[in-house]
Amino acid sequence: MPIPDSPLLSLTGIRKVFPGCIANDAIDLDVQPGEIHALLGENGAGKSTLVKIIYGVLRPDQGDIHWNGDLVQIANPAQAREFGIGMVFQHFSLFEALTTLENVALALPREDHDKLRARLVETADAYGLALQPDRHVHELSMGERQRIEIVRCLLQDPQLLILDEPTSVLTPQETETLFETLRKLAAERRAILYISHKLEEVRSLCDKATILRNGRRVDDCIPSAETARSLAEKMIGKRVESVRKRATTQQGNIGLQVSSLTTHSHQPHGMDLSDIDFAVRGGEILGIAGIAGNGQIELMDALSGETGAPLGGTIEILGTDATHLNPNERRDLGAVFVPEERIGQAAVADMTLVENSFLTASARMKFSPNGLIDWNAVGSFADNIVRDFDVRTTGVSALASSLSGGNLQKFIVGREMLQEPQLLIVSQPTWGVDAGAAAAIHEEIQRLVSAGAAVLVISQDLDEIFLLSDRIAVISQGTLSSATPANDVTPEDIGLLMGVRHTQQEKTKYAAA
Amino acid sequence: MTELIIASIMTMMTAATPLMFAATGELICERSGVLNLGLEGMMLIGAVFGFAAAAVTGNATLGLLVAATSGAFAALIFGILTLNLLSNQVATGLALTIFGTGLSALVGVDYVGETIDQIGSIHIPILSDIPIVGRLLFGHDPLVYLAILILLGASWFLSRSRWGMILRAVGDSDVSAHAIGYPVIAIRFAAVTFGGLMAGLGGGYLSLVYTPLWAENMTAGRGWIALALVVFASWRPARVLFGAILFGGITILQLNAQAAGLGIPAAFMSMLPYIATIVVLVLISRDAIKIRLNAPACLGRPFRAER
Amino acid sequence: MLRLEPRSTQSLSAAWLSPMLALVLTAVTGGIIFLAMGKDPATALYIYFVEPLTSSSGLSEVAVKAGPLVLIGIGLSFGFRAGIWNIGAEGQYIAGAIAGGGLAVFWYESTSAFLLPAMLLTGILGGMAWAAIPALLKTRFNANEILVSLMLVYVAELLLVHLVQGPWRNPMGWGFPGTRVFPDAATMPLLFTGKRVHLGSVLTLAVPFIAWFLLARTRFGFRIKLFGSAPLAARHAGVQSNRIIWQSLLIGGGLAGLAGVIEAAGTIGQLMPDISPGYGFTAIIVAFLGRLHPVGVLLAGIAIAVTYIGGESAQISAGLPKAVTGLFQGIILFYLLAFDLFTRYKIVLPSRQAVQQ
């Protein structure tokens, strides 16, 4: 029986060094039983590293961990689970080819599958987390996958539950359900360590917050006693210049017109698009909101022409029918693309920034007329990207893999912007990027629109969607809702559109109403 | 006529057996996420060391044990390179085949033309004496049964046992398996070693039972055919049995046809198993999505754990 | 514990050092093997690695053997860079020899100056045709090119055996398998009298430099490399995968076919079952040892050719089995793959991290 108010988990002086960066330094943290404790910080502040240390995935270079007052070493996740620590990962630690039941069984000691199935259903029901034990994970939505992870932890009767950015894959309504579950758990005197960079969530849910910046603990506070702004300042370390929403500009010609777009996915667990209609005009930003895995990647591929001609429907780019054009022909029309995958698609890890500049800019910038590459011209183009977009690097001959996530995204966005496009299609522009880089990227997008270009932003970050968009549509299960002016809807309205298929009927009704 | 058919079926099973061994081992290896293209090399190593051991000791059973062990050692080299030193699995598999071809030729120099005592067929009184069915069911050499047993065992292991589930998990997502605390590298090492053990046994069967003699490059592409069988079987052991018997059948068919003298040049008949492999691959691979659904998601990808 | 750290720039020195180190360690391992076989390692190693380079006839032989290895190795390096694993170069080599050599078999009394060029061309086409099969099956039916190209090696070998034993057999050959000896108009002119090195070696020498230009300076070369290191990024950059698959297989097949016909028309002068001592497979090692860089492949081809010649003379003078050469080739590749780690990662001693504090 732990003494009341003695910490369940206590970290002192935790330090962890990775090649080229100090991820955690001198971090102290106390978590009490029954407490929902936020770990708040920007991307790259060291939150994920710290919880991986607590869960035994990583080993600290220095520092002590006390569990229920005893000094312990947590050698691996199995031992962490024995102590009573459970964790829900941001990028789920699930196995797509296995069933829900098997996924749960893998994290538990050997147990008869029939008994486990009964326990699973029982626990899931008790906390309002509906699950079907025998379905394969690859068939499930992101929300369902997260429920597996949570139930998997709960079956181990944890005293401490760690959740890493759990709401990034949830609709606002699903988020509310999750919070109820978490409050229920806290009422049972279980502690919850809640990692997030979303300030409003932390304010409404958490009892206490520890703020990390650049791998160090900078402050502790009671979130409900703070404002979102004061929390953000603690998190970022300076006064926050809120990016001002651009005044609506004069709208120009149609930059992108998509009609009845229907595709069949080439990926094993892909999403088929059905009957997608929308248009983006010059001088406006259309935002497409939605939970990851609802067809965003397929939409991006279809628009860039990477997966060939669609099954049905048409795509017009700047007034020309582009349905059957390849990516470079679409670029020649004036379009540029920033896909979600930075490493491996938008950029190649083991190529230099010069080579990566050639990658997509060769078509519009005419770097290889008659097949010979003018590497000097590519080099000065790369220099311009690094200079104009403030890319922090040792030079243009550095490998793309040596750049931080934020810098690489600035480079990629810069590479496309410097081609002076009339149409920009960008997916998850600031996902996993630090606040400074995110603000810079948002500003560049705004600048491009003000200059008259048409912009399509696909993002699962609702704050970003509302910050940038003139009109908003929602993608869900491969279908797209009608776009509505951003000023006419709330995040809750958008959330309601996230879990449903958008049929033609419903769209007509919506448009009429 | 009946006698000819029975004899053909019996030899078909012996032709299928080395493929069953090698393909079962590779299947387990691939299910853990490791692609070992060195099957041909491991089979040759197993064949030559097994034969040498049997020739020296006069004990064919010991020869089989040596064959399996030497195959496993060859697989260990592959494991160290790909799992510890993160080398490219395709290139390393090719290297293992080239190494195995060279090593087996070198070791085998002294054994070309030697003979050994063959492992005979089993004979169960009464059962084996039942007309026709008796010999078909109970008259093979013991290794035919062993191969089928291991195959069924692998099937049970993957679908029913906890360790099989863990193995599948590692092949599906090494990152997730590591995150929840499974030793990915160690599990893959075990699978790679099992693959080597089976390939060695398959090679040993060729040199000790099937022929029985040693000749340079005697596997004649069976390692590669076994690799194709794994794809053919969609990574499911039970289908390996079917595929191996199919290939055994083609091998025997072309041998019989050559003996019968159908007027088709012998060389063209000998091409049959290789062409059949290509045809089967084409038929199976046509549906790219299905192949990717069935293949272990991590197949061929290196994994480095951060600590 | 030592730790691995990904490199932030490509290390040129590591890229050159690792093949060198692999060669040195193979020699050391070879010495140990010789010792175990009861031979004097110093003498054996001398015969293997040095002696071929000490005489003009030895050098001529090295050039003869290096020719096909370099040609095929260059061709394979295009495919390997693109992640297209054509390992059936041996079959494409044989197909080239059959297609090109076939002309000499049919026009065995020809004196035309066009015969040899025509043979080289059909040789290239023959190799390409053989490589077109895996290309077609991969692009149309998604069939694995590794297995298809490899299976076709056996088919080509059997086809060659059939031809030289059957329809194309030399009627005056006392029943030995083999075609008529090619006429003068169908043989590669020798460069020096009394030496086997022929015009083919000169042709071969030009290929690495053409390949280097293609890979370093053209969009085609960039796309090959791009497709190999990141297929999704290649797709994003508008590269059509089918085109890369066709191009890399046809280049590999064409050069292997050229090597085959040059060997038939140059060194051997007829078609027979043993027209290749496994050049198509050894060239895989040559391509890797040369780090898929054309100039590297040239040097690696020469290095491996030396061990071929060394192996032959070791068999005669020291009674060492020829198979040792094959073993060495496998060992070289193992060492090379092991050292490759250092071109992608650097080893970090824990003490350095402590100092950082």
Side-chain angles (χ1 to χ4, degrees):
Chain A
M1 181 72 196
I3 311 149
D5 287 324
S6 82
L8 174 67
L9 172 76
S10 171
L11 305 181
T12 41
I14 295 293
R15 178 183 167 88
K16 176 73 185 175
V17 180
F18 285 125
C21 82
I22 300 172
N24 283 169
D25 193 18
I27 293 185
D28 298 339
L29 174 73
D30 285 345
V31 182
Q32 310 289 341
E35 172 183 78
I36 304 183
H37 192 125
L39 206 50
L40 193 61
E42 277 204 81
N43 288 301
K47 299 166 298 190
S48 289
T49 303
L50 187 65
V51 291
K52 280 183 181 168
I53 288 172
I54 299 173
Y55 195 55
V57 179
L58 295 175
R59 237 171 255 167
D61 296 332
Q62 282 172 26
D64 293 333
I65 303 174
H66 285 87
W67 179 253
N68 275 327
D70 301 326
L71 179 65
V72 292
Q73 301 270 339
I74 304 175
N76 54 49
Q79 201 181 356
R81 289 193 293 264
E82 268 171 42
F83 284 137
I85 302 172
M87 174 147 176
V88 175
F89 289 90
Q90 181 184 9
H91 304 287
F92 305 137
S93 60
L94 295 177
F95 306 95
E96 298 212 344
L98 274 56
T99 64
T100 300
L101 183 66
E102 286 176 322
N103 269 281
V104 170
L106 278 163
L108 298 174
R110 186 183 290 273
E111 183 174 345
D112 179 74
H113 274 200
D114 291 329
K115 278 187 199 149
L116 183 60
R117 180 181 285 112
R119 281 218 299 143
L120 193 160
V121 173
E122 188 186 319
T123 309
D125 289 349
Y127 293 96
L129 304 159
L131 281 181
Q132 291 162 289
D134 294 311
R135 289 190 68 187
H136 285 88
V137 171
H138 64 78
E139 306 169 276
L140 303 178
S141 74
M142 289 295 159
E144 288 171 293
R145 290 176 195 212
Q146 187 178 63
R147 293 206 285 274
I148 300 176
E149 288 245 341
I150 295 174
V151 170
R152 185 160 82 175
C153 291
L154 294 182
L155 282 170
Q156 298 159 52
D157 191 22
Q159 290 174 270
L160 170 67
L161 183 63
I162 306 168
L163 295 103
D164 192 356
E165 304 269 4
T167 58
S168 58
V169 296
L170 300 181
T171 66
Q173 286 76 18
E174 283 177 315
T175 300
E176 208 33 65
T177 317
L178 172 71
F179 285 2
E180 277 166 31
T181 307
L182 295 182
R183 290 193 186 104
K184 203 181 280 180
L185 290 168
E188 296 169 346
R189 286 197 61 75
R190 299 178 207 270
I192 289 162
L193 193 53
Y194 185 90
I195 301 169
S196 183
H197 66 276
K198 294 188 184 168
L199 310 166
E200 287 301 340
E201 276 180 11
V202 169
R203 284 188 60 225
S204 73
L205 177 72
C206 302
D207 308 316
K208 206 177 167 197
T210 296
I211 296 155
L212 300 186
R213 188 164 73 225
N214 295 329
R216 289 173 164 274
R217 188 191 64 150
V218 290
D219 206 350
D220 283 337
C221 62
I222 309 290
S224 53
E226 302 278 334
T227 62
R229 192 181 182 83
S230 66
L231 280 176
E233 279 169 15
K234 290 181 201 295
M235 192 166 99
I236 297 167
K238 57 185 174 205
R239 282 196 63 81
V240 185
E241 300 287 329
S242 52
V243 179
R244 203 170 280 280
K245 188 151 182 167
R246 165 186 53 89
T248 312
T249 38
Q250 188 66 45
Q251 294 202 354
N253 294 329
I254 288 185
L256 175 67
Q257 170 93 52
V258 172
S259 316
S260 318
L261 179 69
T262 300
T263 66
H264 180 65
S265 177
H266 298 269
Q267 292 304 316
H269 310 312
M271 178 70 74
D272 298 340
L273 301 179
S274 97
D275 250 338
I276 290 192
D277 291 296
F278 68 90
V280 195
R281 289 186 167 273
E284 78 157 345
I285 300 178
L286 173 66
I288 294 187
I291 307 297
N294 274 286
Q296 288 94 332
I297 292 172
E298 290 79 2
L299 179 62
M300 186 72 196
D301 288 346
L303 295 178
S304 65
E306 288 183 42
T307 41
L311 212 57
T314 56
I315 299 167
E316 257 180 55
I317 291 175
L318 298 151
T320 309
D321 180 7
T323 315
H324 296 278
L325 299 186
N326 69 36
N328 282 336
E329 289 164 341
R330 293 182 195 206
R331 289 187 175 108
D332 282 337
L333 294 177
V336 296
F337 313 97
V338 178
E340 179 181 338
E341 284 298 320
R342 276 158 219 161
I343 284 287
Q345 187 173 10
V348 184
D350 57 0
M351 281 191 174
T352 65
L353 295 187
V354 178
E355 289 171 302
N356 271 300
S357 302
F358 182 80
L359 193 72
T360 61
S362 72
R364 285 180 65 74
M365 304 306 287
K366 307 274 174 276
F367 285 138
S368 58
N370 61 47
L372 293 185
I373 301 175
D374 183 353
W375 282 119
N376 287 331
V378 186
S380 47
F381 180 70
D383 281 329
N384 288 346
I385 302 172
V386 168
R387 192 191 58 224
D388 295 358
F389 288 81
D390 188 29
V391 179
R392 312 277 162 80
T393 169
T394 52
V396 291
S397 54
L399 298 179
S401 58
S402 69
L403 266 60
S404 72
N407 273 308
L408 182 62
Q409 184 68 347
K410 282 198 281 186
F411 171 82
I412 292 166
V413 169
R415 178 183 69 191
E416 304 306 325
M417 296 268 190
L418 276 189
Q419 300 177 41
E420 292 169 1
Q422 283 101 57
L423 169 64
L424 167 70
I425 301 174
V426 52
S427 184
Q428 320 299 352
T430 59
W431 176 245
V433 163
D434 61 279
I441 289 166
H442 286 155
E443 253 169 52
E444 289 295 338
I445 293 176
Q446 310 261 29
R447 199 186 51 74
L448 188 74
V449 178
S450 302
V455 174
L456 176 69
V457 174
I458 303 170
S459 175
Q460 48 181 322
D461 181 348
L462 268 185
D463 296 343
E464 179 170 72
I465 289 282
F466 273 92
L467 174 72
L468 292 175
S469 312
D470 298 299
R471 290 184 302 134
I472 300 174
V474 175
I475 190 167
S476 174
Q477 299 170 33
T479 61
L480 191 73
S481 73
S482 326
T484 39
N487 297 330
D488 300 352
V489 286
T490 62
E492 285 66 36
D493 297 335
I494 295 299
L496 284 174
L497 295 172
M498 283 179 174
V500 295
R501 273 187 82 82
H502 303 286
T503 60
Q504 208 55 48
Q505 277 173 321
E506 171 255 349
K507 270 190 249 180
T508 345
K509 205 172 71 191
Y510 197 83
Chain B
M1 193 61 198
T2 325
E3 191 54 35
L4 182 71
I5 291 170
I6 291 178
S8 294
I9 292 175
M10 302 287 290
T11 38
M12 183 176 83
M13 288 312 293
T14 58
T17 299
L19 294 176
M20 274 193 261
F21 280 124
T24 310
E26 178 69 16
L27 190 145
I28 294 290
C29 181
E30 291 192 13
R31 269 301 184 94
S32 80
V34 183
L35 177 67
N36 186 351
L37 292 182
L39 223 49
E40 183 88 356
M42 295 189 297
M43 283 180 87
L44 280 168
I45 287 174
V48 78
F49 281 102
F51 189 86
V56 171
T57 63
N59 184 338
T61 312
L62 185 74
L64 282 170
L65 287 176
V66 171
T69 318
S70 56
F73 269 107
L76 275 180
I77 304 178
F78 176 87
I80 290 168
L81 283 167
T82 55
L83 300 177
N84 294 128
L85 299 178
L86 306 173
S87 69
N88 180 307
Q89 293 180 10
V90 173
T92 312
L94 291 177
L96 181 55
T97 287
I98 291 169
F99 172 79
T101 312
L103 179 66
S104 63
L106 180 64
V107 173
V109 166
D110 299 334
Y111 298 98
V112 176
E114 283 216 20
T115 52
I116 48 147
D117 292 334
Q118 199 176 351
I119 296 179
S121 304
I122 58 166
H123 185 91
I124 305 167
I126 307 170
L127 281 183
S128 301
D129 296 328
I130 304 170
I132 306 177
V133 184
R135 271 177 54 213
L136 285 183
L137 288 180
F138 306 105
H140 300 281
D141 64 75
L143 287 156
V144 174
Y145 301 102
L146 180 66
I148 295 173
L149 216 62
I150 289 176
L151 231 163
L152 297 178
S155 186
W156 173 86
F157 170 78
L158 282 174
S159 59
R160 295 262 170 267
S161 77
R162 181 171 173 86
W163 278 106
M165 179 174 77
I166 293 169
L167 186 90
R168 283 186 287 134
V170 168
D172 186 52
S173 172
D174 41 25
V175 178
S176 294
H178 175 69
I180 61 174
Y182 286 105
V184 172
I185 299 296
I187 291 166
R188 289 194 169 158
F189 244 112
V192 166
T193 310
F194 178 76
L197 214 63
M198 286 297 109
L201 203 53
Y205 183 83
L206 279 176
S207 67
L208 292 165
V209 185
Y210 188 72
T211 36
L213 49 82
W214 163 254
E216 217 174 289
N217 257 327
M218 65 179 298
T219 46
R222 284 186 181 81
W224 297 102
I225 292 178
L227 274 162
L229 271 182
V230 177
V231 182
F232 170 82
S234 306
W235 292 268
R236 295 205 175 88
R239 298 190 194 171
V240 167
L241 179 66
F242 176 66
I245 290 175
L246 182 76
F247 274 92
I250 291 170
T251 311
I252 298 311
L253 189 76
Q254 57 98 358
L255 284 180
N256 284 355
Q258 283 188 35
L262 292 178
I264 301 167
F268 288 102
M269 294 306 300
S270 307
M271 288 176 193
L272 218 55
Y274 308 113
I275 292 175
T277 306
I278 295 175
V279 171
V280 160
L281 267 178
V282 167
L283 292 178
I284 288 293
S285 312
R286 266 187 318 182
D287 190 349
I289 294 184
K290 210 179 121 208
I291 283 280
R292 267 187 283 171
L293 260 177
N294 288 325
C298 290
L299 189 59
R301 289 208 312 233
F303 172 75
R304 192 168 73 99
E306 54 171 23
R307 286 248 39 146
Chain C
M1 263 283 283
L2 296 174
R3 283 179 31 165
L4 293 175
E5 208 175 274
R7 288 180 184 274
S8 66
T9 51
Q10 274 152 341
S11 162
L12 202 64
S13 56
W16 279 96
L17 266 173
S18 74
M20 298 308 235
L21 212 57
L23 281 173
V24 170
L25 275 178
T26 304
V28 172
T29 313
I32 296 169
I33 293 174
F34 290 137
L35 204 62
M37 290 168 71
K39 310 280 178 192
D40 174 26
T43 322
L45 286 175
Y46 178 80
I47 296 173
Y48 253 93
F49 295 106
V50 185
E51 200 181 55
L53 297 170
T54 55
S55 66
S56 62
S57 64
L59 286 172
S60 153
E61 284 303 301
V62 168
V64 165
K65 290 270 191 239
L69 290 177
V70 172
L71 275 179
I72 305 170
I74 296 275
L76 290 182
S77 64
F78 277 85
F80 293 172
R81 268 177 189 248
I84 305 299
W85 299 97
N86 170 17
I87 59 166
E90 181 83 0
Q92 292 140 24
Y93 168 98
I94 293 171
I98 292 175
L103 294 188
V105 174
F106 282 111
W107 285 284
Y108 60 90
E109 286 175 317
S110 169
T111 53
S112 168
F114 294 110
L115 181 56
L116 189 60
M119 285 169 64
L120 295 182
L121 196 65
T122 40
I124 293 173
L125 291 176
M128 281 183 167
W130 214 246
I133 300 171
L136 178 75
L137 298 184
K138 185 172 179 75
T139 51
R140 286 278 290 125
F141 302 110
N142 186 41
N144 182 310
E145 78 279 11
I146 299 176
L147 294 169
V148 173
S149 64
L150 196 277
M151 288 296 129
L152 286 171
V153 172
Y154 295 99
V155 176
E157 280 174 352
L158 288 164
L159 181 66
L160 177 65
V161 168
H162 169 70
L163 288 174
V164 300
Q165 284 178 347
W168 289 7
R169 191 170 62 186
N170 184 359
M172 273 88 81
W174 295 285
F176 282 109
T179 61
R180 290 174 198 273
V181 175
F182 293 175
D184 282 349
T187 34
M188 285 281 174
L190 296 179
L191 294 181
F192 311 99
T193 41
K195 302 277 186 300
R196 295 209 301 165
V197 58
H198 52 73
L199 188 64
S201 308
V202 181
L203 289 178
T204 301
L205 217 51
V207 171
F209 296 96
I210 298 171
W212 173 80
F213 181 79
L214 283 176
L215 286 172
R217 303 306 304 264
T218 67
R219 188 173 53 205
F220 163 73
F222 179 79
R223 290 182 158 188
I224 288 268
K225 187 179 160 194
L226 173 61
F227 187 72
S229 44
L232 265 187
R235 197 184 78 179
H236 183 58
V239 179
Q240 288 170 294
S241 63
N242 283 359
R243 187 180 284 187
I244 297 285
I245 293 168
W246 272 103
Q247 284 168 337
S248 55
L249 274 161
L250 288 185
I251 289 176
L255 286 176
L258 180 63
V261 68
I262 287 180
E263 187 73 2
T267 316
I268 300 176
Q270 67 177 129
L271 289 179
M272 52 189 216
D274 302 322
I275 54 168
S276 169
Y279 283 137
F281 294 113
T282 309
I284 296 172
I285 301 170
V286 170
F288 280 116
L289 192 61
R291 305 208 57 86
L292 308 182
H293 187 288
V295 178
V297 172
L298 176 65
L299 297 176
I302 293 169
I304 296 287
V306 168
T307 67
Y308 258 121
I309 308 300
E312 278 171 13
S313 52
Q315 190 182 13
I316 299 160
S317 59
L320 283 164
K322 208 171 155 188
V324 174
T325 315
L327 181 63
F328 278 177
Q329 291 172 354
I331 294 175
I332 287 184
L333 199 42
F334 277 153
Y335 279 127
L336 189 73
L337 289 166
F339 293 135
D340 250 6
L341 186 75
F342 307 120
T343 62
R344 288 173 291 134
Y345 298 92
K346 47 191 175 187
I347 303 280
V348 184
L349 297 168
S351 59
R352 227 180 74 187
Q353 290 166 8
V355 173
Q356 266 181 0
Q357 206 180 2

